Amino acid sequence: MTLSHAAKEMGKWCDGITGVEGSSGYLALVVFTAVGWLWINDSLPFQTNGATKQQTEEEEEEETPDPPRNFTIKQLRNFDGTVDERTDEKKPVYLSVNGTVFDVSNGRDFYGPGGPYEVFAGRECGAALATMSFDEKLLDDVSACEKLGVGDRNELENWMEKFEHYRCYPIKGKLVPDDKLPNPDRIMTMEELEKYDGNLQDVPEEFVGYGAAPIYVGAGNKVFDVSFGGVPMYGKDGPYQKFAGKDVSRALALMSFDPKDLENTDVSDLEEKKIKVLKDWINTFETKKGYPVVGKLGKQDLE
């Protein structure tokens, strides 16, 4: 059947249904008008390169990188490419070069388990790479990079250049050595706590080597810096930014965003069940998340 013959048959069918001669032309006009309106208003799933609008939006979301974060030595060790026992999935492979943390997961064959450089996975290895050494003493020591001679220093810069511009490994943040962290026993005032409420865009100059501005959250008698992995949650416009820069002991215990609970720091009137919830949060912050304790609130420790 030819195209013209098929069109005539379709026209007869439309005329028979509607009882109006030539109705197929009106029907076609209506269809094309509707399709045109949908296309103009971006309501049809048509996009360039054959991709749908939804697919394009999802790809854009996937490509949006996480904001820079800070890492402790202990946190970085977790990103060694081994299988996560909780999810049965392979962990990313991160390593630090002179304090800059790279995601080298695309080089898993080299830096992941079984690779020739697997000893560097989850470690600071700048001095080791610069001197082409696998000496354990050179690992996790950012200060060792400062002690390199001119030749080794040039080699270190070559590795940095290779990772960032040749291999294009994503930079995830900065490694902050333990001796650069604030004293966990210092007593902090509410005014000091409020300074680090997730709104700082630039790293204060006193926090040398940080990749993200500190974000403090008080719980119990402890102050945690949640910029060590919690920037998307507690940073600017994050879902938990209301907790940043505050002692949120009561709010955590009650699982509450109520402004009254955010402003009230007293938990003495809460039942033991609620206190346990608070203790669980503190344990999550300190043990599971590994947020460093950067001070105390001068309150009595929870027993």
Side-chain angles (χ1 to χ4, degrees):
M1 180 182 292
T2 64
L3 183 61
S4 60
H5 182 69
K8 290 179 181 179
E9 292 298 318
M10 178 64 71
K12 291 179 181 179
W13 180 81
C14 290
D15 292 348
I17 292 295
T18 63
V20 179
E21 186 175 356
S23 60
S24 59
Y26 294 105
L27 179 61
L29 181 61
V30 170
V31 170
F32 283 118
T33 300
V35 170
W37 184 90
L38 290 170
W39 182 77
I40 291 172
N41 287 276
D42 227 11
S43 297
L44 283 179
F46 298 150
Q47 290 289 327
T48 57
N49 300 324
T52 66
K53 179 182 179 183
Q54 181 178 359
Q55 287 174 330
T56 303
E57 291 176 348
E58 289 176 351
E59 289 173 358
E60 288 177 353
E61 290 178 0
E62 291 176 356
E63 294 172 358
T64 302
D66 290 331
R69 58 162 288 184
N70 300 311
F71 292 84
T72 64
I73 295 289
K74 185 176 181 180
Q75 284 178 328
L76 186 61
R77 291 295 293 268
N78 184 58
F79 297 94
D80 60 359
T82 58
V83 175
D84 191 323
E85 296 179 354
R86 296 173 298 174
T87 63
D88 289 329
E89 297 180 354
K90 292 180 179 179
K91 301 176 188 175
V93 185
Y94 292 178
L95 56 78
S96 172
V97 182
N98 195 21
T100 298
V101 178
F102 292 91
D103 181 351
V104 297
S105 298
N106 288 339
R108 184 180 296 273
D109 291 343
F110 288 94
Y111 302 102
Y117 297 101
E118 66 175 326
V119 68
F120 296 154
R123 313 291 292 272
E124 159 60 37
C125 57
L129 286 172
T131 58
M132 295 303 294
S133 170
F134 291 97
D135 190 341
E136 180 74 20
K137 295 178 181 179
L138 294 176
L139 299 179
D140 298 331
D141 185 3
V142 179
S143 65
C145 295
E146 301 172 1
K147 304 171 185 176
L148 295 173
V150 176
D152 290 337
R153 183 72 187 184
N154 289 336
E155 190 62 31
L156 175 63
E157 293 175 357
N158 289 337
W159 276 101
M160 293 284 292
E161 181 80 12
K162 175 182 178 182
F163 277 26
E164 186 172 357
H165 301 294
Y166 179 65
R167 293 297 184 185
C168 297
Y169 291 138
I171 293 176
K172 307 304 289 185
K174 290 286 190 176
L175 177 67
V176 181
D178 294 344
D179 61 355
K180 299 297 183 181
L181 293 171
N183 182 355
D185 294 320
R186 63 174 176 156
I187 303 299
M188 296 187 64
T189 64
M190 289 298 113
E191 289 74 18
E192 290 175 305
L193 189 63
E194 290 170 358
K195 291 179 183 178
Y196 307 105
D197 60 358
N199 285 315
L200 291 176
Q201 297 302 301
D202 298 322
V203 178
E205 60 181 13
E206 62 266 30
F207 293 92
V208 179
Y210 278 55
I215 304 173
Y216 289 172
V217 173
N221 188 34
K222 297 179 179 180
V223 177
F224 297 92
D225 187 346
V226 298
S227 68
F228 286 75
V231 176
M233 302 299 290
Y234 300 93
K236 188 173 179 59
D237 299 325
Y240 288 96
Q241 192 188 1
K242 292 180 180 180
F243 289 174
K246 293 183 174 67
D247 173 3
V248 290
S249 300
R250 187 178 186 87
L252 289 175
L254 298 175
M255 300 288 287
S256 170
F257 281 109
D258 190 318
K260 293 185 298 183
D261 296 323
L262 289 170
E263 296 303 323
N264 184 1
T265 63
D266 183 26
V267 297
S268 61
D269 62 324
L270 299 182
E271 59 185 6
E272 184 58 35
K273 182 179 180 181
K274 300 300 183 183
I275 297 299
K276 184 181 182 303
V277 173
L278 173 57
K279 290 179 179 179
D280 288 342
W281 272 103
I282 293 173
N283 181 63
T284 296
F285 283 5
E286 195 164 10
T287 305
K288 295 181 180 179
K289 296 295 185 181
Y291 298 144
V293 176
V294 294
K296 293 184 177 181
L297 294 171
K299 302 193 297 185
Q300 184 176 357
D301 291 324
L302 295 176
E303 296 180 359

